[in-house]
Amino acid sequence: LSVASFGLADHLDYLRVLAHVGRHGEAFWPNQSVNGFLQRLLANGESSAWNPAVYPPYHPVVYVGTLVTSVALLAAGLFAPPRTAKSGDALDLAGFALALTLATPLACEHHFGVLLPILALLLAASLEWRTWGPATWPLLALCAWIASNYWDVLGRLSGTVWNPLQSLLFFAALALLALLIGARRGVTSSPSLSPSRVTHR
């Protein structure tokens, strides 16, 4: 329907737009991805204000770093830990959804709406499997607090030594991905416990 309405040319043009965005990325601080983190770390572009007509200049370190980490994140979402069953469960789906979000060159804050059901799932899973022992619940609470607030103060950290803190949501999401993988490992290493106990809790 979209091709019929707008024509094939617009769709092919959009592929070129995606290629351009993937090559340049975005330095503006709400971009909570590896790409955004590297852009800001290397001061490659303006991170405190957004200009819809300007992208950061191409930077080979940012481009290669984004590419390599995207592959690693997707591999973690798909294959970590190794599966013992042919079918997946809610933890598998949540892990890949989060890995996919983190792997994109542009992952703005609203893209992390996927964290709401993931946090609920992790809370249920943590009753059985505490990935990081006693630190699991405090870490889960901290990540939920970070993800539930808009940290506009981070925009003021551009050009300071505190620049990495502009990726606060990104770091929280990485911690949640580690918690998901750990919970999945708990399911895998406990053959007597059905993954459905987490899925349907």
Side-chain angles (χ1 to χ4, degrees):
L1 289 174
S2 179
V3 172
S5 299
F6 303 105
L8 182 61
D10 284 347
H11 290 74
L12 295 178
D13 284 342
Y14 189 63
L15 292 177
R16 286 189 281 272
V17 170
L18 290 177
H20 181 82
V21 171
R23 184 174 176 81
H24 291 269
E26 178 59 75
F28 187 38
W29 72 267
N31 180 21
Q32 298 292 304
S33 66
V34 174
N35 184 280
F37 173 72
L38 291 176
Q39 301 276 16
R40 295 185 287 271
L41 193 64
L42 299 173
N44 189 51
E46 177 58 57
S47 66
S48 60
W50 182 60
N51 186 335
V54 177
Y55 284 95
Y58 170 78
H59 195 298
V61 173
V62 174
Y63 180 75
V64 173
T66 300
L67 188 63
V68 170
T69 54
S70 292
V71 171
L73 284 165
L74 292 176
L78 281 170
F79 305 116
R83 302 294 184 266
T84 57
K86 292 183 179 179
S87 60
D89 59 11
L91 291 171
D92 284 323
L93 178 60
F96 185 69
L98 184 52
L100 189 62
T101 303
L102 288 167
T104 60
L106 268 71
C108 296
E109 292 183 314
H110 55 274
H111 296 138
F112 286 90
V114 69
L115 289 181
L116 181 58
I118 288 175
L119 285 166
L121 182 65
L122 274 173
L123 180 60
S126 67
L127 298 176
E128 291 278 3
W129 302 282
R130 299 190 187 182
T131 305
W132 291 353
T136 299
W137 284 351
L139 179 63
L140 188 56
L142 177 62
C143 291
W145 179 59
I146 291 172
S148 302
N149 289 278
Y150 180 69
W151 303 91
D152 57 342
V153 67
L154 299 179
R156 305 173 191 172
L157 301 180
S158 299
T160 72
V161 294
W162 302 103
N163 173 288
L165 288 178
Q166 289 189 306
S167 298
L168 190 63
L169 178 58
F170 170 69
F171 296 138
L174 276 180
L176 290 173
L177 181 61
L179 286 171
L180 279 168
I181 292 173
R184 183 62 193 140
R185 183 175 290 110
V187 174
T188 303
S189 61
S190 304
S192 60
L193 297 175
S194 169
S196 62
R197 292 181 63 182
V198 174
T199 308
H200 303 298
R201 180 178 298 278

